[in-house]
Amino acid sequence: MQLLTGIVRNYPWGSRTALARLRGAEPTDQREAEMWFGAHPLAPSLVGERTLIDVIADDPTHSLGNTADQGQGLPFLLKLLAADEVLSLQAHPSREQAKEGYARENEAGIALNAPHRNYKDDNHKPELIVALSEFEAMAGFRPVPLTNELFDVLACPELERYRSLLPDAPADSVAQGSGDNVRALFTTWITIPPAARVELISAVVASARAVLDDSSREVPQWMREALSNIVELNEMYPGDVGVLGALLLNKLTLQPGEALYLDAGNLHAYVRGLGVEIMANSDNVLRGGLTSKHVDVPELVKVLNFDTLEDARLAGEESVVEGARVVRYPVPIDEFALTRVELDGRWEVPTGTPTIIVCTEGTVKADDAATVLDLRAGEAAWIPAGNAQVVLEGSGQLFVATHA
């Protein structure tokens, strides 16, 4: 077991205060968006003065256990994420799409750090985020019947001309999805001429403001949140095609401890808040708007899953053991597993798999008989698969990331 130093990533949407406050540090002028704990080549964490990549390479079997046989290194990337503004509207490719896209861009001679590069590696990027604060997000295409209800409330003439692309769907479509209808409308909107797009967005936003300003109207809370979100996004990115995309997405607000899971192809964007995020070890992002970065609409459409999603929230499985409340977040993939531990006493960390522990609250002592680490909020420990038993003691909150 060794102390693992996370790498801070500065992006325009990041917070100047949230990660600093969590670590007990003074805020700076920099927007701290993410802190990476892992072995991704773009920003590998440090063990002392060495990267975790180098440490793993010294003895892959000891570090990764059975995972070493796959020859792909540490299969997950753990992050602290702090958003003060909306992230880009985006989706991630499947493993097959990532392999094909990565090879294609390599063959074309596109540098890995080129601004217009889509595929930074050949891996997929399913991801799970657990809220540390109230956390807002857009996630998955909303069921068609609900979107039709929203359009009815908007009563926007400029929007009505597109309603034929999203016909009334049967009630069971909420569960089964209405991908073809959503695909037709989304692809139409992202390809209309800029002037027509701006005109449509202006009309939709004006209708949204009218609904929100009319205190006499009884409008469901989910609709108010969705319409407020559209107005706010247009203020940040006026006339951006991502505003139209957001009009079709579920708008969610997670409370601390609640989780959101997104598989390949799910269109989404985090809006604001602080959370712990874990994903397959990848940085592949296809963007569709709400950003100054490269947007590749044809490539995005290729990876999107247009089936509607009723709710992307993921329920945790809670257990109480002596000294800890343990919440596991089950995901349908084998690259990672994430467990939240509310410690008030003593808890033994399961061994035999590569593990990263990050403390998000309080002070916790980690002891494997050979090494003792005092972990404070924002600090992490690397536990290789071949490590001896690790015992945690103290009072605080930790997240334990492992290979599933």
Side-chain angles (χ1 to χ4, degrees), residues 257-279:
E258 291 187 325
L260 183 69
Y261 174 74
L262 294 159
D263 211 337
N266 287 141
L267 191 63
H268 65 282
Y270 300 145
V271 178
R272 64 175 58 84
L274 179 66
V276 174
E277 186 180 32
I278 188 170
M279 61 199 63

Side-chain angles (χ1 to χ4, degrees), residues 15 55 73 99 124 183 195 244 253 300 321 380-381:
S15 171
V55 171
K99 287 182 180 297
H124 66 162
R183 178 191 293 272
L244 291 177
T253 300
L300 173 68
V321 297

Side-chain angles (χ1 to χ4, degrees), residues 224-260:
R224 289 194 174 277
E225 291 182 10
L227 296 179
S228 296
N229 184 54
I230 293 301
V231 171
E232 183 178 355
L233 293 178
N234 192 60
E235 290 174 350
M236 291 187 285
Y237 294 96
D240 190 281
V241 66
V243 177
L244 291 177
L247 188 60
L248 301 176
L249 298 181
N250 294 296
K251 172 66 168 56
L252 307 171
T253 300
L254 304 178
Q255 298 304 316
E258 291 187 325
L260 183 69

Side-chain angles (χ1 to χ4, degrees), residues 16 19 36 49 51 77 88 93 98 113 132 162 191 199 208 229 237 240 255 267 275 284 303 325 383 396-397:
R16 291 188 174 91
L19 288 180
W36 289 19
E49 297 183 355
T51 70
L77 175 62
S88 59
N113 60 354
L132 292 177
Y162 298 97
T191 55
E199 179 183 357
N229 184 54
Y237 294 96
D240 190 281
Q255 298 304 316
L267 191 63
N284 285 326
V303 309
R325 173 174 172 255
I383 305 174
Q397 178 178 256

Side-chain angles (χ1 to χ4, degrees), residues 177-313:
S178 303
D180 291 341
N181 294 337
V182 175
R183 178 191 293 272
L185 181 56
F186 182 80
T187 54
T188 297
W189 276 353
I190 63 177
T191 55
I192 59 177
R197 182 183 73 225
V198 171
E199 179 183 357
L200 173 59
I201 292 173
S202 297
V204 169
V205 170
S207 295
R209 289 185 185 277
V211 173
L212 294 169
D213 291 344
D214 187 352
S215 58
S216 66
R217 294 191 64 175
E218 292 187 5
V219 178
Q221 183 61 28
W222 74 263
M223 287 192 186
R224 289 194 174 277
E225 291 182 10
L227 296 179
S228 296
N229 184 54
I230 293 301
V231 171
E232 183 178 355
L233 293 178
N234 192 60
E235 290 174 350
M236 291 187 285
Y237 294 96
D240 190 281
V241 66
V243 177
L244 291 177
L247 188 60
L248 301 176
L249 298 181
N250 294 296
K251 172 66 168 56
L252 307 171
T253 300
L254 304 178
Q255 298 304 316
E258 291 187 325
L260 183 69
Y261 174 74
L262 294 159
D263 211 337
N266 287 141
L267 191 63
H268 65 282
Y270 300 145
V271 178
R272 64 175 58 84
L274 179 66
V276 174
E277 186 180 32
I278 188 170
M279 61 199 63
N281 192 31
S282 173
D283 196 41
N284 285 326
V285 179
L286 283 304
R287 299 179 179 86
L290 307 178
T291 181
S292 58
K293 293 184 177 181
H294 176 59
V295 173
D296 189 334
V297 168
E299 196 69 25
L300 173 68
V301 171
K302 282 172 58 177
V303 309
L304 279 182
N305 179 355
F306 287 95
D307 287 342
T308 57
L309 187 64
E310 188 170 6
D311 196 338
R313 290 181 179 90

